[in-house]
Amino acid sequence: MLQFAGKSKKFKPTPPQVLTFGFIIIIFVGTILLASGPANTGDPMSYVDALFMATSAACVTGLTTINVGIDLTHFGQVVLLLLVQIGGLGFTTMASLIAIVLRRRISFRERLILQEAMNQSTLEGIVPLIKKVIYYSLVIEGCGALLFSARFLAEMPVGQALYFGLFHSVSIFNNAGFDLFGMFPDRASSLIHYVEDPLINIVSMLLIILGGLGFIVISDLITYRINRKLTLHSKVVLTASAVLIVVGTIVILIFEYTNPNTMGPLDFLHKLSSAMLQSVSSRSAGVSTLDTGSLRQATQFMIVLLMFVGAAPGSTGGGIKVTTLAVLVGAIYTMARGRQDVVMFRNRLDQDRIHKAITLTLLSFFLIVIATMVLSATESAPFLSILFEVTSAFATTGMSAGLSGHLTTFGKLFIVLLMFVGRLGPVTLAFALTSTPEKEKFRHPEGRITIG
């Protein structure tokens, strides 16, 4: 079609804008459904609470202002679970699945959007990766559902056990952390009732770790037997994740070992398993076998640090990502040694990666600081509880020190914004809100300032 001079150009959203608008539409639809009568056991929840829950589910956070097991009907719970699944895999992945089933060709522009959604640096192999994402997710969630259901059969009817198994497998693998155990009046929320159950603990940790490693790493691990090779990305993710799990477990075990409200009554093995699950879950999942509100302040602050780091890129988790932390540590080590290049596993990192890691970390840090200051002025709660809730929302972890249910309307809407920004990422959102940058036509002269 011919375009005449003076005519306005047709608006073509950039990939970051497509992702942003897509999540907004999903959250809007989820809000309408969750606020409807069929989704609630009693009076329909307010639109503010429905928006909070829809955002928490679509952004795979897990924070909640209601009791999911009591206040939502089966229809409402299924809506919540579908939002978790779409949010965990990404709506672009789900749209690609439909296109693949209908045998429709995925265009170059759609591949660019998928590249942005999966946080990939190139378009190479993006469609095969999407197919692997869908396949691996269904297989892992299916195995988790079967194992959970087998355990729940000992205390529930067959239908309920299967339903609980599927719900919690999808919720935990996608690092959302919603649970239905609040429907039992004699039990606490999350997995506290199963603190001494080895099957629930092990399966939960495996689901969280697999969901948090990212599909690129899972694919690398599966094909390792054939090619005997891991990418640099997989090596960094696996190493950084292992270090964080071990360090987190040791610190939490030390601080909570004698706490009578958490680990005190447990034997050593159960203390160790609960500390490990808490360490694994703190980086994005949000489930726990310990009462988060009863943890000592030192432990809560350690969890804040773990939440801030989060999971791996291309995973269902949030945070600044373990690779970002690894790059920052590598840059500090390089500068301390007086060297120029950041080297990991005999590979030199591009300066662009280092600049992006620093930018992302500082943007995230400043956002959390500002949000904590704002909510400290509007909410009646201790500073650490507010910092905990803010970091949990931004990192899409879903762990709560008990503040979510007592937030003001402004506080709820502010947490909704944090969850949304945290799921998209501050850098992606910044690109979505700005026009396409023009290439610089000149460079300024180099200047020097004193650092340190």
Side-chain angles (χ1 to χ4, degrees), residues 395-437:
T396 68
T397 303
M399 220 168 257
S400 176
L403 182 60
S404 291
H406 304 286
L407 290 169
T408 62
T409 299
F410 175 82
K412 291 176 183 178
L413 294 175
F414 201 80
I415 291 293
V416 164
L417 180 62
L418 280 174
M419 290 189 288
F420 182 72
V421 174
R423 182 65 180 100
L424 284 176
V427 176
T428 299
L429 188 61
F431 284 147
L433 296 176
T434 57
S435 58
T436 304

Side-chain angles (χ1 to χ4, degrees), residues 111 156 193 225-227 362 398 432-433:
R111 291 168 192 258
M156 304 175 189
H193 180 74
R225 188 179 48 145
I226 301 171
N227 54 31
L362 288 178
L433 296 176

